[in-house]
Amino acid sequence: VTDDIDRATKLFTDDCVYVLSPGGYTFRGARAFAMFAKTWGGERTHDKTHKINITKWFSDDENLCIEYTHGFNSLFGLPIKIKNATTICLVFHTRDGKFDSLHEYIDTGGVLKSLLASIILGIMVWWIKMKLSKNSSTK
């Protein structure tokens, strides 16, 4: 029902690169990836009807590609229920048994939705990078 970000983060190398599109926003390192995933993923919940549905996947020796539709039953604490909010494609690259890069492509479905998604993602990325910067300066 909820994302297990801590468990997933252990599958990534410490120097992984995560690129989010639209926008081409880049996070470097497992810590930055985890903070983004926990912040973004923490804003939604799932249930048996409103969930992630894998539609296609394939892999080879170094790459894994997963396409899925994403639904949720709450967003930002509000009871917003959407079965198939968007289609997402994840492209992973592996090194030494862990993921060293992840490119996430979000289908924003048209110009207006794309613009809105870019603005929302831009604000979220800016906020997370500010948190990362603040955490780094206090250590």
Side-chain angles (χ1 to χ4, degrees):
V1 175
T2 59
D3 298 335
D4 190 347
I5 303 301
D6 290 326
R7 183 176 174 201
T9 301
K10 293 176 185 175
L11 300 173
F12 287 85
T13 62
D14 289 338
D15 64 342
C16 70
V17 176
Y18 170 60
V19 180
L20 178 64
S21 294
Y25 303 110
T26 302
F27 293 91
R28 298 189 185 282
R31 184 173 159 265
F33 165 75
M35 184 172 283
F36 177 80
K38 284 180 180 180
T39 303
W40 188 246
E43 299 305 327
R44 65 193 191 288
T45 60
H46 306 99
D47 62 21
K48 289 181 180 180
T49 305
H50 305 85
K51 60 185 179 177
I52 292 171
N53 292 301
I54 296 174
T55 54
K56 297 176 189 157
W57 71 273
F58 61 90
S59 66
D60 62 21
D61 291 340
E62 296 181 8
N63 302 286
L64 169 64
C65 181
I66 302 171
E67 180 185 84
Y68 65 94
T69 58
H70 196 160
F72 45 84
N73 65 355
S74 71
L75 184 63
F76 299 109
L78 301 172
I80 299 170
K81 296 180 181 279
I82 300 178
K83 285 188 180 179
N84 293 311
T86 191
T87 299
I88 296 174
C89 183
L90 303 176
V91 180
F92 299 88
H93 182 266
T94 59
R95 182 182 77 223
D96 299 327
K98 289 190 172 191
F99 299 121
D100 66 347
S101 71
L102 167 59
H103 287 74
E104 180 172 355
Y105 302 94
I106 301 171
D107 179 8
T108 55
V111 176
L112 186 56
K113 281 177 76 176
S114 180
L115 181 60
L116 183 59
S118 293
I119 291 168
I120 290 170
L121 288 172
I123 291 168
M124 181 70 74
V125 167
W126 171 81
W127 183 68
I128 291 167
K129 287 190 176 192
M130 293 301 293
K131 283 176 63 174
L132 282 168
S133 174
K134 184 178 178 181
N135 288 345
S136 293
S137 65
T138 59
K139 289 185 177 184

